[in-house]
Amino acid sequence: MTGTVSALELGYSFCPNDTFIFYALHAGRVPAPLPVREVLEDVQTLNEWAAAGRLPITKISYRAYFEVMDRYVALRSGGALGRGVGPLVVAREALGDLNGRRVASPGALTTAELLLRLVSPGVRPVRMRYDEVMPAVARGEVDAGLIIHESRFTYPQYGLMRLLDLGAWWEGETGLPLPLGAILVRRDLPQDVQRGLNAAVRASLEYAYAHPQEPMNYIRRHALEMSDDVMRAHIDLYVNGLSLDVGAEGERAVRELHRRAVEVGAAPPSNLPPFVDLA
């Protein structure tokens, strides 16, 4: 093949876990099977774009992945799964049953809202961008808020209290780590390219682990008004061994989340393999 190969657009969020993982790939510190170009957006926007098939490689909520499994397949590297990482429900004061309550949500296609639906199917979600949730709760515009990302470290600054840890609920129910976000590639990309991209993402994370200070300016540039301490806490929480490879336990967790989503009518069934075949 001759000529210049156009770069594949790689979508991921502004969050420190994503910018930490993808820094080396973005900066050309590790090889990739094809050139890639960063596209940074909030996760709900990436979820919506994936539904339209806009990007060939993209971060996505696992809940949203279940809607596009016919078009995309998840890499085994680069995702966010773990223990103690779940979304929280916060409010200004203690509440009883959440059913019937107006709860600010970061999006219909987020794993967070799926978990809330599993726990309290009668909630009334009020959807907004994730960084608008805590201010809306603090102003009394909603009864409670469903928070994700770095908000789990900062909600006390808004005078809010934790009502429910949805990750702890999931772990207690299943004994499995919680799947939050995946990195998808289009299924119509050649398998050698899919495998090469998986290897590139893993190498990018390994580079960040080996050179932890090098990505910090890149991370800081995209971290909104987050302090360095919160950035590091965010990375430590959401980037772990399951980010290097989802492993057998992580794959079981994803399949169980999908099974439960199908069971409550929140996602369509699929018999397609959820992860790239590295064999």
Side-chain angles (χ1 to χ4, degrees), residues 21 30 77-78 197-207 241 243-245:
I21 289 171
V30 296
S77 298
L197 290 169
N198 190 87
V201 171
R202 177 169 181 142
S204 186
L205 176 52
E206 289 174 336
Y207 185 95
S243 303
L244 283 169
D245 188 280

Side-chain angles (χ1 to χ4, degrees), residues 4-205:
T4 302
V5 178
S6 60
L8 293 177
E9 290 186 314
L10 165 60
Y12 52 93
S13 79
F14 306 99
C15 295
N17 60 308
D18 283 353
T19 48
F20 180 80
I21 289 171
F22 291 110
Y23 161 77
L25 187 56
H26 155 73
R29 300 289 194 266
V30 296
L34 293 171
V36 298
R37 180 173 68 82
E38 62 167 9
V39 178
L40 274 72
E41 269 294 347
D42 69 282
V43 172
Q44 180 58 20
T45 298
L46 294 173
N47 289 343
E48 293 168 359
W49 284 0
R54 178 167 175 173
L55 299 176
I57 322 168
T58 186
K59 172 72 175 284
I60 195 171
S61 300
Y62 268 107
R63 162 66 184 89
Y65 176 35
F66 300 151
E67 299 288 338
V68 297
M69 293 179 77
D70 60 330
R71 184 177 293 167
Y72 289 96
V73 61
L75 299 183
R76 302 191 67 86
S77 298
L81 303 90
R83 300 179 188 277
V85 299
L88 305 178
V89 179
V90 298
R92 291 175 298 166
E93 59 188 11
L95 301 173
D97 189 353
L98 289 175
N99 287 307
R101 300 278 190 176
R102 287 167 49 86
V103 179
S105 164
L109 294 178
T110 59
T111 304
E113 187 169 311
L114 171 59
L115 291 170
L116 183 61
R117 178 173 175 178
L118 293 175
V119 174
S120 300
V123 297
R124 297 162 57 200
V126 180
R127 295 170 183 130
M128 59 189 69
R129 217 174 94 147
Y130 82 94
D131 56 345
E132 298 172 350
V133 169
M134 291 188 299
V137 180
R139 291 192 297 264
E141 296 171 4
V142 289
D143 299 311
L146 183 56
I147 60 172
I148 58 176
H149 303 325
E150 69 279 359
S151 301
R152 68 178 293 125
F153 304 112
T154 58
Y155 69 88
Q157 298 172 15
Y158 290 80
L160 305 178
M161 62 181 295
R162 183 175 68 183
L163 300 183
L164 181 62
D165 184 329
L166 292 171
W169 172 84
W170 169 263
E171 291 173 40
E173 280 276 306
T174 68
L176 294 167
L178 175 63
L180 293 173
I183 310 302
L184 307 187
V185 297
R186 290 185 60 99
R187 288 189 187 267
D188 59 7
L189 288 173
Q191 280 207 332
D192 61 331
V193 173
Q194 295 179 14
R195 293 170 184 150
L197 290 169
N198 190 87
V201 171
R202 177 169 181 142
S204 186
L205 176 52

